[in-house]
Amino acid sequence: MYAKDHAIEYGIKENLRDFSLLVIINLFVGSMVGLERTVLPLLGEEQFGLASASAALSFIVSFGFSKAAMNFFAGSIADRIGRKKVLLLGWGVGLFVPLLVIFATHWWVIVFANVLLGINQGLTWSMTVNMKVDLVKGTQRGLAIGLNEFAGYSGVALAAAVSGFIAASYSLRPEPFYLGIGIVIAGLLLSFTVKDTEKHLQLQARMQQRKAADPVNPRDIFLKTTWRDSTLSSCSFAGLSTNLKDGMAWGLFPIFFATAGLSVSQIGTLVALYPASWGFFQLFTGAISDRIGRKWMIAAGMWTQAAAIWWILFANHYVLWIAGAIVLGLGTAMVYPTLQAAISDVAHPDWRASAMGVYRLWRDSGYAFGALMGGILADVLNVSWAIGLVAFLPLLAGMVIALRMKETLIRK
């Protein structure tokens, strides 16, 4: 299926330069999010006097919805102007994020900065995923996406830890966000050097025959990925549940640990460990799914996430919280690259980016729903109850995967 065509080749080894550049670029993409994970929940309470958990988590809501919406449009925009131009556009938007946070005098400015962060992430992260899938063989998709997500969430973890250290050493603002300006400049410069993957995509489309059931317009793609196709819709629900849990963890874990008496530095370590293990284990989970299949890797990962959240909730010691954060990252790593590989397995190259966009629309709206649900539950009940109740969603999603999803990996 995959062969040479006028010097176009598929595979990680065959496209090592551009593939490696995309991995490094996504490290910087993830760092933009990690920059905020430790600092902003504390900033809302300490510098802006936000007593309500719902208000404090509003920046995650704005981030989640804007990233979800931009994911949806990123694929169709890329089909018109090319993947690389969308990647560069995303970095251009990202430059405003640290600047707005540094100079913000009202909380709504922070919220708006996170709208721009969501746009930045929707454009840049979507393109690094799609460009990698364009370059590799079908049997390497799990590995390729795993490497992409490993780099991204390693960036999240690294920036979360560094920003927490800087905040503890200096202040919550502006020092941690100087780092963000450097991240954007580095990501932008690297993105200029990577080649577009349009020719790889066009050749794939010519070589893979369309099916009669393939969608023919954006509305059909949306409905197929959201509900009509049992496999694609199960993946969309699992993605939403995963990031709903993450939206809750992003907003409530720093508050939960602060209430337990931990220092900013300790909180930064715990907040960083979760995405660090998430990133690290994706080095293996995506590749393993290329060998054993997607379905049960996803189901087990969803159940692992639920168990880890309850572990963190009922633990009462720093070392136990460290273990819980690592296991939570493992569970997330089991599903994150595998879900995207499953979408890529099912979708034809002609509508793969759009299907991935719909999946990522639902997945990343989970950030917003998680922050909304977590904030409301924390205000009505308390932070502990909010954390515990949110954990039921990944548990349910694992059951949906087990009952509705079909195995997508085709071994040749």
Side-chain angles (χ1 to χ4, degrees), residues 86-351:
V86 174
L87 181 62
L88 293 170
L89 178 62
W91 281 118
V93 174
L95 182 59
F96 294 96
V97 176
L99 295 174
L100 285 171
V101 175
I102 287 171
F103 294 108
T105 56
H106 297 87
W107 185 248
W108 70 263
V109 179
I110 302 292
V111 173
F112 178 67
N114 278 268
V115 171
L116 297 183
L117 178 63
I119 294 171
N120 159 262
Q121 295 291 296
L123 294 174
T124 54
W125 205 310
S126 293
M127 288 309 103
T128 58
V129 169
N130 281 300
M131 291 172 81
K132 285 187 181 69
V133 172
D134 292 344
L135 291 173
V136 304
K137 302 171 184 176
T139 53
Q140 295 178 324
R141 286 173 183 151
L143 173 59
I145 297 172
L147 289 169
N148 188 77
E149 303 303 293
F150 160 74
Y153 286 95
S154 294
V156 173
L158 182 62
V162 171
S163 64
F165 174 78
I166 294 172
S169 302
Y170 298 96
S171 64
L172 294 173
R173 274 197 314 173
E175 288 84 359
F177 297 95
Y178 293 149
L179 177 64
I181 298 171
I183 289 169
V184 173
I185 293 171
L188 187 61
L189 291 175
L190 286 171
S191 297
F192 271 112
T193 66
V194 75
K195 295 178 183 177
D196 208 334
T197 58
E198 182 180 1
K199 291 183 179 179
H200 289 78
L201 180 65
Q202 290 173 348
L203 180 59
Q204 279 186 23
R206 293 199 301 269
M207 296 173 68
Q208 185 171 326
Q209 188 175 9
R210 288 182 66 96
K211 300 175 183 177
D214 280 346
V216 295
N217 58 53
R219 179 179 178 274
D220 288 341
I221 295 170
F222 179 83
L223 293 174
K224 188 178 183 72
T225 310
T226 300
W227 180 252
R228 287 178 180 169
D229 186 287
S230 63
T231 296
L232 293 175
S233 61
S234 298
C235 289
S236 294
F237 180 62
L240 185 149
S241 300
T242 292
N243 276 12
L244 188 147
K245 167 263 326 179
D246 192 44
M248 175 279 298
W250 183 354
L252 294 185
F253 275 3
I255 299 171
F256 175 76
F257 293 133
T259 303
L262 298 186
S263 67
V264 173
S265 179
Q266 288 176 313
I267 293 170
T269 299
L270 288 172
V271 169
L273 268 176
Y274 157 47
S277 63
W278 177 353
F280 172 74
F281 287 120
Q282 284 180 109
L283 279 173
F284 311 101
T285 54
I288 291 171
S289 79
D290 286 335
R291 294 180 175 274
I292 69 172
R294 320 291 191 201
K295 176 175 179 173
W296 292 109
M297 174 77 84
I298 296 168
M302 298 307 300
W303 294 330
T304 300
Q305 290 175 64
I309 293 170
W310 286 321
W311 173 277
I312 290 170
L313 181 61
F314 292 109
N316 59 0
H317 192 276
Y318 186 58
V319 174
L320 297 178
W321 284 323
I322 287 175
I326 293 172
V327 175
L328 184 59
L330 170 62
T332 311
M334 292 170 71
V335 307
Y336 230 70
T338 315
L339 284 167
Q340 293 179 90
I343 298 289
S344 299
D345 292 341
V346 174
H348 185 275
D350 282 345
W351 55 278

